[in-house]
Amino acid sequence: MHEIADVEQALRRAAPHQLVSVVEDALRERCDALRVELRLADYGLRTLQLVGRAPGADPSVPIHDSHQGRAFGAQEPYVVEGSSSVLLHLPVTVRGDRLGVLTAELPRGTDLRPLFPGLAQVCDALGHEILVAERDTDLYVLARRATRLTLAAEMQWQLLPGRSCARPEFALAAHLEPAYAIFGDNYDWSVSDGRLTLTVTNGMGEGIEAALLTNLAINALRNARRAGLSLADQAALADQAVYAQYRGDAFVSVLLLCFDLTTGEVEAVDAGSPRLWRLRGHSVESIGFEAQLPLGMFEDTDYVPERFTVRPGDRLLFGSDGVYSAVSPAGESYGDRALARALKGTRLLPPTHVPQAMLRELTTHHGGGSLEDDALVVCLDWHGAASSVAV
């Protein structure tokens, strides 16, 4: 692939709904591509949905049992040799957030090795332009849904920063279930000025009421964070906002953390039910904090931060009460012993695979039936600064 800059420029100039066409035209011209298609991962991370599918066309392929899914899961190109052509499946990912897979059908006998670097750059540019284009078109948002979202789920998904994020210092990923009818569970993160701020929230109630409550709390926390307030003051401002609206009749549980990307020092405010576990080596332990009042329960609550330190190699797992409180048919809560076993069992998986794996284990623990509450899992692998050394 040559003239990658021309392709990137063409993507920037293109109408928001024509990004795939731009890539297809470029690959036809430069690689003699016969066909190009883009599939995006659905909200449940179960299928890859065809962008711009025609009525009656097969809308999806499974992530866990398809060639496209292998490229998506491994985050590497996957090649399928056919009798007359070659299918090349390429992951489309932006800053660690896995969006989907670009598939190019090329003539049989095409030498793929010199094409890989350029095609990776094209996929990177396409991913960035998709995120920009979503401000102006519903095309890519629609492609992500395998079924209709409830209104509450629509509101909650619009709040999220993404499903995964990767930087030299850390990698994290999160997942919500049930993906198409979530209630009050949510998460948020922001990276800036040498710090990672991470919040895991659980708003009380169900449906629209829970979604409205969570929207208020998340945006109040963001407003305070963007004003440069300390972690404790962020919690206090959000507490005041929720109390002013609901006068104590509704509240939001939140675990609020700020990581120093250089030192691994963590400041935390525990204001409710989300919990934290740490996998260090082969040992899992629950990280407990002094419980403080959820946001909005009383007027003018003061919050006191606590501190701990993460080391390179640590894996942190955050779970909502819908995770650790789910009970087996025998009455055992998932957070008692099963969660630690599952966390150890998934230690070799990358963070992007862990939340779903944990939730599958949760479903098995629960007896295979539907969960009684929405469930949120966030996984964070801490690499530390380049100069950090594990002790």
Side-chain angles (χ1 to χ4, degrees), residues 21-77:
S21 297
V22 168
V23 172
E24 183 170 24
D25 291 344
L27 298 191
R28 285 185 186 277
E29 179 182 346
R30 294 165 172 82
C31 306
D32 297 322
L34 307 173
R35 177 176 62 89
V36 172
E37 69 178 29
L38 174 66
R39 292 179 180 270
L40 299 179
D42 85 304
Y43 288 111
L45 283 177
R46 295 183 179 89
T47 61
L48 291 163
Q49 305 284 125
L50 186 63
V51 173
R53 58 184 181 268
D58 182 14
S60 65
V61 297
I63 286 179
H64 297 292
D65 188 24
S66 67
H67 296 141
Q68 295 95 327
R70 293 188 64 168
F72 182 81
Q75 288 294 285
E76 294 179 353

Side-chain angles (χ1 to χ4, degrees), residues 197-200 221 231 234-235 254-258 267-270:
T197 301
L198 172 65
T199 58
V200 183
L221 287 167
L231 203 69
Q234 291 174 36
V254 59
L255 181 58
L256 181 59
L257 305 104
C258 184
E267 191 177 39
V269 172
D270 181 358

Side-chain angles (χ1 to χ4, degrees), residues 226-306:
R226 292 164 183 170
L229 300 185
S230 68
L231 203 69
D233 287 342
Q234 291 174 36
L237 186 146
D239 171 68
Q240 293 166 15
V242 175
Y243 184 83
Q245 184 67 32
Y246 293 95
R247 312 305 295 181
D249 292 333
F251 55 85
V252 178
S253 298
V254 59
L255 181 58
L256 181 59
L257 305 104
C258 184
F259 295 77
D260 187 305
L261 298 181
T262 300
T263 65
E265 294 181 359
V266 187
E267 191 177 39
V269 172
D270 181 358
S273 60
R275 293 184 184 173
L276 166 62
W277 290 262
R278 178 176 62 202
L279 172 63
R280 177 172 287 172
H282 295 279
S283 176
V284 175
E285 64 177 317
S286 175
I287 306 298
F289 303 104
E290 182 179 346
Q292 301 182 67
L293 294 173
L295 306 183
M297 184 170 282
F298 297 103
E299 188 174 13
D300 295 329
T301 302
D302 291 325
Y303 292 94
V304 179
E306 299 178 63

Side-chain angles (χ1 to χ4, degrees), residues 11-222:
L11 283 168
R12 287 194 293 270
R13 291 198 305 259
H17 61 283
Q18 293 181 332
L19 300 180
V20 180
S21 297
V22 168
V23 172
E24 183 170 24
D25 291 344
L27 298 191
R28 285 185 186 277
E29 179 182 346
R30 294 165 172 82
C31 306
D32 297 322
L34 307 173
R35 177 176 62 89
V36 172
E37 69 178 29
L38 174 66
R39 292 179 180 270
L40 299 179
D42 85 304
Y43 288 111
L45 283 177
R46 295 183 179 89
T47 61
L48 291 163
Q49 305 284 125
L50 186 63
V51 173
R53 58 184 181 268
D58 182 14
S60 65
V61 297
I63 286 179
H64 297 292
D65 188 24
S66 67
H67 296 141
Q68 295 95 327
R70 293 188 64 168
F72 182 81
Q75 288 294 285
E76 294 179 353
Y78 187 76
V79 180
V80 181
E81 297 276 356
S83 58
S84 59
S85 62
V86 176
L87 288 177
L88 177 58
H89 305 296
L90 301 152
V92 178
T93 301
V94 179
R95 299 183 185 275
D97 193 7
R98 302 176 300 165
L99 302 185
V101 174
L102 181 74
T103 296
E105 184 177 5
L106 305 175
R108 184 173 176 81
T110 301
D111 186 0
L112 299 177
R113 288 173 296 179
L115 300 180
F116 283 140
L119 289 172
Q121 287 182 262
V122 168
C123 288
D124 186 62
L126 175 61
H128 280 85
E129 291 304 317
I130 287 172
L131 296 186
V132 174
E134 286 182 344
R135 300 179 306 178
D136 303 313
T137 178
D138 286 337
L139 178 66
Y140 309 104
V141 173
L142 290 172
R144 289 193 176 95
R145 52 195 71 193
T147 187
R148 183 174 179 176
L149 294 174
T150 64
L151 178 55
E154 185 92 47
M155 294 170 67
Q156 296 286 55
W157 280 106
Q158 291 300 313
L159 274 180
L160 300 179
R163 284 182 294 210
S164 53
C165 177
R167 284 189 40 138
E169 301 90 351
F170 68 87
L172 65 87
H175 193 63
L176 282 164
E177 283 291 345
Y180 291 88
I182 54 179
F183 304 121
D185 287 2
N186 210 280
Y187 58 87
D188 192 28
W189 61 66
S190 176
V191 186
S192 60
D193 193 27
R195 296 185 179 277
L196 163 67
T197 301
L198 172 65
T199 58
V200 183
T201 56
N202 182 9
M204 66 177 291
E206 298 181 357
I208 296 299
E209 291 183 0
L212 289 170
L213 175 61
T214 304
N215 266 261
L216 174 60
I218 291 291
N219 280 292
L221 287 167
R222 287 174 175 172

